[in-house]
Amino acid sequence: MPEISRFFGIIIRMFYDDHDPPHLHAEYSGKKAVFDLEGNIIKGNLGLKTATKLVREWIDLHISELEEDWQLAKNNEDMKKIDPLP
């Protein structure tokens, strides 16, 4: 599963040819969660509310890039790296 971003110890990944709805996988300190592209947690828990808040903020800042990467992944094409939170 390719890593598309990393910030503050949070790793963001997407699977190639993954199931709908569009989503991403986040990992922080051994905890994992799946977020849809609206920032809702579909599955899991990152443990800290701060980590969850940071992922949601990052999603809001990069929604168009995430949608583009989702389409690339669905087509088994290379995804683009997305800038971390500053």
Side-chain angles (χ1 to χ4, degrees), residues 23-82:
H23 62 276
L24 57 88
H25 299 256
E27 183 176 345
Y28 177 74
S29 192
K31 303 269 186 183
K32 297 179 182 181
V34 178
F35 290 79
D36 66 18
L37 299 189
E38 294 177 3
N40 301 306
I41 294 178
I42 298 171
K43 180 180 175 182
N45 185 328
L46 292 181
L48 290 177
K49 289 181 183 179
T50 303
T52 300
K53 181 181 175 203
L54 290 170
V55 171
R56 287 179 171 147
E57 181 180 333
W58 181 82
I59 290 170
D60 287 344
L61 290 172
H62 298 286
I63 187 66
S64 62
E65 294 160 284
L66 287 164
E67 290 170 344
E68 181 181 354
D69 267 358
W70 181 259
Q71 288 306 312
L72 291 169
K74 292 293 281 183
N75 294 326
N76 286 313
E77 297 177 34
D78 290 338
M79 290 175 267
K80 298 176 183 176
K81 296 283 187 183
I82 300 175

